[in-house]
Amino acid sequence: MQIWVNGGLRDTDAAQVSVLDHGMTVGDGIFETVKAEKGTTFALTRHLARLTRSARGLGLPDPDLDEVRRACAAVLDANPVALGRMRITYTGGLSPLGSERGDTGPTLVVAVGETSRRPDTTAVVTVPWTRNERSAVAGLKTTSYAENVVALARAHQHGATEALFGNTVGALCEGTGSNVFVVVDGQLHTPPLASGCLAGITRELVVEWTGAQETELPLDVLASADEVFLTSTLRDVQAVHRVDGRELTGTPGPVTAKAMRVFDERAASDLDP
Ligand code: PLP
């Protein structure tokens, strides 16, 4: 595999970043996961806009988006994948052992790996830990994902593939790597960005393409919602058939099935929506 590291492609075993990189030592970094199919990325412009927003949120210099685009194209060219999970990582760079960034400038790494299509339905659990909607990094896609790692492990222990968080006021927020939609009384809702959730690209497209409402909802809406689905770059629109042990019969329900159809059709006809 060939990986882009700071300006050029390297073989995996020669692709090196310092062990004192600030991303490694304190999680001072941001990332994007981009889907790539048959040599082409999906929604790259939106991903790069979010990368810049995350960089500004952390006080990192704006990434050179021309370089990031060149890196993505070079990596895809060098690593043909049928369905690829491309990862763009951008960190504070080499730093002395301390809490400050060094002055060597940021690190950029772009890699791609083969992935497989997610099943149409899945199970989720809620977790007792909260997203802090008032955190300095709320809504930023940082590499500090330890809480998500712990929550996802909890989900796996319960035979689920995703864990859902509420926020500090008990409102529904998001998953460890996905946004959540619910159907109540035939209406499709997703938590607003003020809930502390990430501005998911898939979420944004589903809101635009289906007219879903952005609504603050209590976490326990999951106990009674008629339909639930997740969105993310690698899940697309994925129906939820079980929430905390409650089976939702007839999954995917009609609203979810329509969202899946609309998403598939629109995404197939526009690779950079
Ligand atoms: N929320 C979190 C915390 C995520 O990490 C992700 C995706 O990686 C999402 C939501 C979904 O975002 P997207 O649709 O851009 O993949």
Side-chain angles (χ1 to χ4, degrees):
M1 189 199 285
Q2 298 253 297
I3 299 177
W4 182 280
V5 185
N6 288 338
L9 283 177
R10 309 267 182 277
D11 287 332
T12 309
D13 50 5
Q16 292 179 344
V17 171
S18 170
V19 292
L20 294 184
D21 190 283
H22 218 216
M24 164 98 175
T25 54
V26 301
D28 175 21
I30 57 173
F31 74 104
E32 286 294 321
T33 299
V34 182
K35 186 169 58 175
E37 265 185 290
K38 299 182 196 120
T40 311
T41 50
F42 178 68
L44 186 59
T45 302
R46 289 186 195 239
H47 282 284
L48 296 187
R50 187 172 64 188
L51 187 73
T52 301
R53 287 201 304 276
S54 296
R56 290 180 183 172
L58 255 66
L60 286 165
D62 279 5
D64 174 347
L65 297 188
D66 288 337
E67 184 195 354
V68 181
R69 279 186 186 277
R70 252 185 297 122
C72 291
V75 164
L76 271 185
D77 212 35
N79 304 282
V81 283
L83 180 62
R85 172 195 190 118
M86 175 170 278
R87 161 98 182 200
I88 304 167
T89 310
Y90 186 71
T91 75
L94 179 61
S95 148
L97 268 183
S99 56
E100 303 289 321
R101 279 180 198 139
D103 52 16
T104 55
T107 299
L108 172 67
V109 176
V110 180
V112 70
E114 188 75 54
T115 187
S116 50
R117 205 159 286 288
R118 296 295 188 272
D120 280 349
T121 77
T122 196
V124 302
V125 294
T126 54
V127 287
W129 310 301
T130 52
R131 280 277 192 262
N132 181 354
E133 68 283 5
R134 287 169 293 138
S135 155
V137 294
L140 305 181
K141 199 160 166 66
T142 77
T143 55
S144 310
Y145 257 38
E147 184 153 53
N148 293 320
V149 170
V150 173
L152 190 59
R154 165 78 67 104
H156 290 157
Q157 281 162 11
H158 289 83
T161 70
E162 182 58 305
L164 296 176
F165 290 94
N167 65 14
T168 67
V169 295
L172 179 63
C173 186
E174 66 176 343
T176 67
S178 63
N179 292 105
V180 59
F181 287 71
V182 298
V183 177
V184 178
D185 294 334
Q187 291 295 313
L188 183 55
H189 302 272
T190 193
L193 299 184
S195 69
C197 68
L198 183 76
I201 308 295
T202 323
R203 169 192 181 281
E204 200 170 275
L205 293 171
V206 169
V207 168
E208 286 176 26
W209 292 345
T210 67
Q213 301 294 305
E214 298 178 78
T215 314
E216 183 175 306
L217 302 152
L219 180 63
D220 66 12
V221 71
L222 293 170
S224 58
D226 300 320
E227 300 176 38
V228 179
F229 66 79
L230 304 177
T231 61
S232 82
T233 293
L234 297 175
R235 293 176 191 266
D236 295 332
V237 176
Q238 188 181 42
V240 170
H241 67 80
R242 193 172 76 231
V243 183
D244 286 336
R246 178 173 79 98
E247 289 292 340
L248 286 96
T249 48
T251 301
V255 179
T256 304
K258 186 168 173 204
M260 291 168 109
R261 204 167 51 244
V262 167
F263 186 85
D264 286 350
E265 283 170 9
R266 296 286 295 257
S269 66
D270 187 355
L271 293 176
D272 205 7

